[in-house]
Amino acid sequence: MYRPPAASGCNTNLSLSLSLSLSLSVQSLQAWLTRFRCSDHPLAIETGRRCAAGPVPRHERVCLCCGDAQETEHHFLLDCPEYAALRDAYWFMYR
């Protein structure tokens, strides 16, 4: 099974999780969101395309947190059970 070299597991720490931390500056949040929208992020769906040994087949680019599905943007934001607490904590910002 494919594992990106930079990924070592899930970050479920509510205070430091990716762009969801309220302590991030506006510029860093904008930069992260721009990278996410342009598919320049560390999710397996993108890192698997750019492997030095050649592209990893899409079906092998599974979520490193839950291992249940492909680690796509949709899965990361809406479906991954490992990030359910973060979604619940911050969903009010997007209603």
Side-chain angles (χ1 to χ4, degrees), residues 18-38:
L18 299 173
S19 70
L20 299 177
S21 174
L22 298 177
S23 64
L24 287 177
S25 70
V26 172
Q27 290 87 4
S28 64
L29 178 59
Q30 288 173 339
W32 193 89
L33 289 173
T34 299
R35 290 183 65 202
F36 193 80
R37 293 184 69 195
C38 294

Side-chain angles (χ1 to χ4, degrees), residues 56-90:
V56 175
R58 278 183 79 92
H59 69 274
E60 292 183 17
R61 300 178 203 174
V62 297
C63 179
L64 297 175
C65 294
C66 68
D68 290 338
Q70 289 181 357
E71 189 178 38
T72 63
E73 295 87 350
H74 182 272
H75 175 76
F76 171 73
L77 289 173
L78 302 172
D79 297 334
C80 186
E82 294 294 323
Y83 292 105
L86 288 171
R87 283 192 296 273
D88 292 344
Y90 293 100

